[in-house]
Amino acid sequence: MNDSPGWATPGSPSDGQGPEGDRPAAPPASPPAADAKWSATQPPPGQWSSPAEGRTPTPPAAPAPQQQTGWGSYGSGPQQQPGTPYGAPYAQPGGWGGPPAAAKPGVIPLRPLGLGEILDGAVSTLRGHWRPVLAVSLVVAALSEIALLFVQRATMGSAVITTDRTPSAAETSKLLGDTALLYGAEYYLEILGLFLVTAVLAPVVSHAVLGRPSTLPATLRAVRPLAPRLAGLIALLLLGALAAAVLPVLPGILAGSAGLAVLGVPVAMVLLAWFYVTFVLAPPALMLERGSVTDALKRSAKLVRGSWWRIFGISLLTWLLRGITSAIIVMPFAAVALFLAPGGLGSLLDGSATTGWAFLIITAIGSVVAATVTLPMQTGVTTLLYVDQRIRREALDLELARAAGQDGGGPVTGG
C-alpha cells in the first residue's frame, strides 16, 4: 500500500475515507469460484479489493495530484512556490500566471504609483534632465530671494531687542506686524515659485516619463504660447490663497480684537491647506492639456476629489524632506554669515546681525542654492501626482504606452 501521510491515495484500500485504522477491518473475502467470470484486464496488486462473485471490477481512476502543505495548493512549475498567500500564487513579472509587467520607458512605470516611485521619479527627473531643471529653478529661486531680501531688510529693524527699557505697545504692535509681513511674504513667494516652476517644468517631467530628452530652449518654446494663461492662473491662485489666509482673521482685525484675530489663525491654516491641495494640480493640467485657466482649475479639483488626504500627505512629506535638505544646505552659509557679522554671536542673540547686508546676502545665497536643488523635487512630485491621478482615473498609462511606442507593455527601462 502506498498511502501518503495524512491523505488517502486514490485507489487505496481506504478508498479515500481515511487510514485503515479509522474503520473496522473488512472480513476476508472467500476465494472465487472456479467457474467465475473475470475480466482479462486486472488492476495492479494492492490497489483494489476483491470484487464480489460474478462482478467485473471497475479500473481505478487516475491518481489526483498530491496536495502540498502551506496556504493552498501549488503546482510544480517555476512560477508557483509554497508560502504565497492563499488564492494568489507567486508569479514572476510578465510570466505565466500573472499580469504582464508595466512598461517603464522613463522615470516611472506606467501604472498607478506608490509613494516611493513618485519620489524616485522626481529625483530621477532632476538627475536625468538637470540642465533645464536647474536653469529654471535657479532663475525663479534667485528672483524670489532678491524680493525676500528687501522685505527682510525693511522688517528686521523692529526685531532688535532693547534691554534698557520695556518696549511700548506701539513697538510691540509694529514688531508683530513686521513679523507677519515677513512670514507672509516668505510664504507667498514660496507658493509663487512652486506654481511657476511646476508649470514651466511640467513638459520636462512629461518627457522624462516617456524617456525622451529635454532641453531648455525646447521647454521655453513649449511654455511661451501659454504664458498669458499661466500668468492668469498664478494670479488667481495667489488671490485665492490670500483670501483663504485673510478672511478668517479679518473680523478680529476690523474689531481691533487680538484674541478674535488669533482664533481665526487655525481656521486660516485649514483653509490654506484645503485650497493648496485642491488646486495644486492646476499648473501641470494647464501646461499638459493646454486648456483655459478655468479648465485647469476644474481639472485639478476633479482629479483631487476622493484622493485629497493622499495628495495632502505626499505633498506634506515632500515639503518636510525639502525643508530638512534646505536647512542642511543653508547651515554652512549661515555660519559664515555669523562669523563675518559684527558682534558675532551676541549680535545674533539681540537681532542686530539680521539687519546687516552682509548677513542677509550670504544667507540669501545659501537659500538660492538650497531652493535650486530642492524646488524641482517638490514640483516633480506635483506633476507626477497629476500623472498618477490620471492613470488611476482615466487609464492614461495606455495612452502613454502608445506615445512611448510600447503598446505591448514590455518591461523597458529608459530615461
Side-chain angles (χ1 to χ4, degrees):
M1 251 154 261
N2 190 21
D3 287 350
S4 60
W7 298 88
T9 304
S12 64
S14 61
D15 198 21
Q17 299 180 10
E20 288 183 343
D22 293 344
R23 64 177 185 175
S30 57
D35 57 349
K37 297 182 182 291
W38 291 92
S39 171
T41 304
Q42 298 294 326
Q47 300 295 323
W48 58 288
S49 322
S50 299
E53 184 175 356
R55 181 178 177 183
T56 302
T58 303
Q66 184 176 357
Q67 286 187 320
Q68 304 283 348
T69 57
W71 292 15
S73 58
Y74 305 91
S76 58
Q79 289 83 14
Q80 295 178 329
Q81 297 179 358
T84 52
Y86 181 78
Y90 172 84
Q92 296 288 344
W96 182 86
K104 188 181 179 183
V107 295
I108 59 169
L110 301 183
R111 56 171 171 75
L113 304 175
L115 171 62
E117 292 169 330
I118 292 175
L119 295 175
D120 180 69
V123 175
S124 298
T125 302
L126 172 61
R127 186 173 61 247
H129 303 261
W130 61 271
R131 288 184 179 87
V133 169
L134 293 184
V136 171
S137 61
L138 175 61
V139 172
V140 174
L143 293 177
S144 299
E145 287 300 326
I146 290 173
L148 184 61
L149 181 64
F150 286 100
V151 176
Q152 288 176 328
R153 187 66 180 86
T155 58
M156 282 297 186
S158 60
V160 179
I161 301 174
T162 57
T163 58
D164 54 345
R165 63 182 179 83
T166 303
S168 63
E171 291 175 336
T172 303
S173 177
K174 184 177 187 305
L175 174 61
L176 294 177
D178 288 346
T179 303
L181 177 61
L182 175 61
Y183 284 109
E186 185 175 0
Y187 173 78
Y188 285 103
L189 286 172
E190 174 81 5
I191 292 296
L192 173 63
L194 280 175
F195 287 149
L196 184 58
V197 175
T198 300
V200 176
L201 293 184
V204 178
V205 178
S206 67
H207 286 176
V209 169
L210 297 175
R212 297 174 180 172
S214 298
T215 61
L216 182 59
T219 302
L220 296 179
R221 283 196 301 270
V223 173
R224 190 178 298 116
L226 299 174
R229 279 175 276 180
L230 176 59
L233 174 65
I234 292 179
L236 285 179
L237 291 175
L238 287 178
L239 287 176
L242 185 63
V246 171
L247 289 179
V249 300
L250 188 60
I253 295 175
L254 295 178
S257 172
L260 185 60
V262 169
L263 290 178
V265 172
V267 180
M269 295 179 65
V270 171
L271 284 179
L272 277 173
W274 173 84
F275 182 85
Y276 175 82
V277 175
T278 301
F279 298 108
V280 71
L281 304 184
L286 175 69
M287 302 307 296
L288 299 180
E289 299 182 18
R290 310 181 81 81
S292 64
V293 173
T294 55
D295 289 339
L297 293 173
K298 292 178 181 178
R299 284 289 288 160
S300 179
K302 180 180 179 181
L303 292 173
V304 170
R305 189 180 302 121
S307 301
W308 193 95
W309 285 107
R310 177 175 179 268
I311 296 176
F312 170 76
I314 294 176
S315 300
L316 179 61
L317 176 62
T318 308
W319 208 312
L320 292 176
L321 293 175
R322 181 177 163 232
I324 294 172
T325 306
S326 297
I328 295 173
I329 295 174
V330 170
M331 263 193 251
F333 292 89
V336 172
L338 179 61
F339 177 77
L340 296 178
L345 183 60
S347 62
L348 180 66
L349 294 177
D350 63 14
S352 61
T354 59
T355 62
W357 280 109
F359 183 87
L360 293 176
I361 291 174
I362 294 174
T363 53
I365 293 174
S367 298
V368 169
V369 174
T372 302
V373 175
T374 61
L375 192 60
M377 178 180 175
Q378 183 89 42
T379 58
V381 166
T382 300
T383 304
L384 291 178
L385 280 172
Y386 164 82
V387 174
D388 176 60
Q389 288 301 110
R390 289 200 60 187
I391 288 176
R392 294 172 182 269
R393 302 272 180 103
E394 303 169 1
L396 181 65
D397 51 333
L398 303 179
E399 183 178 346
L400 292 175
R402 286 193 296 268
Q406 298 183 18
D407 304 70
V412 178
T413 304

